[in-house]
Amino acid sequence: RSASTIFEAYTYCAALFREDPAVWLMEYVGSSPVRFLALFSWIFGIPLCVRLADRVASRNSLPLIVYRKVFHLIAVVFFLPVGIYDPEFLGFSVMLATSIGILLETARLQRLYGTQKLNRFILSNIDARDGAKLSGTFTIVRTHLFLLFGLALPIILHARQQQTVARPLAPIVLMALFLVPGVIGLGVMDAAAATFGTYARRWRTGDTKVRLTSGRHLSNILCNKVFTKEANPALTHKTIEGSLGGLVTAVAAWSLVVLYAFGFPSHFRTIVPSIAGLVLGAVFEASVDGVDNLELPIFVAGVIQTCVLVLGQYF
């Protein structure tokens, strides 16, 4: 039944676009060395890195929340170069990979043959934020799909909107729209904030136990009679070290990208949207409780777009 469904979908796409999808895909990937090398590295490199990360985490007893952020690092390593040289291909590839991921998740939920190992791997790497975590239970998990889609969501949204700008944006501003919300904001800042926050107490006091509630909480400095702990429960366990560490790491990573791609900016105003997006994104990440793999890129992209609209005449 699965084979017939795939065949029907393939023939429908061929009839809809009046072209063989497989032939078009091979021509599209083969039209650029960057695309071919990227696809090759993704197919062989990402599974190898995931397997290696699983072994390293099991040997070093990494906290689950830190281990989950290793997947953010893997995504940044493999997606950032493509985002610099061919962002449109990154957006297309992520959409295709998300579709494949949805099919695999559906197959896992239906307990199709060959999905037992996939189910064990996913259930071993989820926590309470993903829903019910019961041993052997097939429950829908969307975190990995949200992470994958969130990394390239700004590129996808930008490609689908109607361009009405009177003049093109500066290349550095356009790259900020593509990379800062997803790859830098979600891939770097979110992962670094969780890692710094988790190890805050260990680094500060030498305590060998890593607790999610350790460190100096943001509620100590941000909450007041108006901005209460009850209305913002995330601030009671998000740490100052985590938020600052995530922001500094993200700004450093984006600065390296800018220096590599453009050199030292001639005008500081061209990096204002990206810095504003990261600063406000760090505040947003600290105030959100739960999985924010979609919300964070959307928020940061909104901040950058707003800055572009307000300050567009200066770019």
Side-chain angles (χ1 to χ4, degrees), residues 18-80:
R18 299 180 181 179
E19 189 174 1
D20 192 323
V23 174
W24 179 87
L25 184 60
M26 288 188 294
E27 293 178 350
Y28 178 70
V29 173
S31 62
S32 170
V34 173
R35 295 172 182 174
F36 179 79
L37 292 175
L39 188 62
F40 181 84
S41 66
W42 292 343
I43 293 175
F44 295 99
I46 292 179
L48 179 63
C49 289
V50 170
R51 181 65 176 173
L52 180 63
D54 187 49
R55 290 192 174 186
V56 171
S58 61
R59 291 180 180 179
N60 294 275
S61 301
L62 287 179
L64 180 58
I65 188 172
V66 175
Y67 172 58
R68 285 162 61 103
K69 301 307 177 182
V70 174
F71 298 107
H72 290 235
L73 176 62
I74 294 174
V76 170
V77 170
F78 283 95
F79 289 170
L80 181 58

Side-chain angles (χ1 to χ4, degrees), residues 167 169 173 268-274 276 303-315:
R167 57 179 178 175
L169 295 173
V173 178
F268 176 76
R269 61 178 178 268
T270 58
I271 63 173
V272 168
S274 56
V303 172
I304 296 176
Q305 287 279 15
T306 302
C307 290
V308 169
L309 291 175
V310 174
L311 305 175
Q313 59 178 324
Y314 300 106
F315 297 144

Side-chain angles (χ1 to χ4, degrees), residues 95 154-163:
M95 284 194 297
I155 301 175
I156 298 170
L157 293 177
H158 186 269
R160 291 184 59 87
Q161 72 180 3
Q162 182 179 3
Q163 301 301 318

Side-chain angles (χ1 to χ4, degrees), residues 190 218-219 222-223 227-239 243 279-290 292 295-296 299:
D190 184 71
L218 287 171
S219 60
L222 293 182
C223 288
F227 203 64
T228 62
K229 296 180 180 180
E230 290 75 14
N232 302 273
L235 298 178
T236 61
H237 62 79
K238 297 291 183 72
T239 62
S243 296
V279 171
L280 294 180
V283 176
F284 178 83
E285 189 276 334
S287 61
V288 173
D289 206 3
D292 55 1
E295 292 88 343
L296 181 60
F299 177 83

Side-chain angles (χ1 to χ4, degrees), residues 154-228:
I155 301 175
I156 298 170
L157 293 177
H158 186 269
R160 291 184 59 87
Q161 72 180 3
Q162 182 179 3
Q163 301 301 318
T164 58
V165 182
R167 57 179 178 175
L169 295 173
I172 187 174
V173 178
L174 190 61
M175 182 173 288
L177 285 171
F178 288 160
L179 297 182
V180 170
V183 178
I184 302 299
L186 176 61
V188 176
M189 184 169 65
D190 184 71
T195 303
F196 278 105
T198 302
Y199 285 102
R201 182 166 181 170
R202 172 180 287 188
W203 293 341
R204 202 155 42 85
T205 65
D207 189 359
T208 58
K209 294 183 179 180
V210 179
R211 303 182 180 89
L212 191 63
T213 58
S214 65
R216 289 168 287 194
H217 301 154
L218 287 171
S219 60
N220 296 337
I221 60 174
L222 293 182
C223 288
N224 49 53
K225 293 182 179 180
V226 178
F227 203 64
T228 62

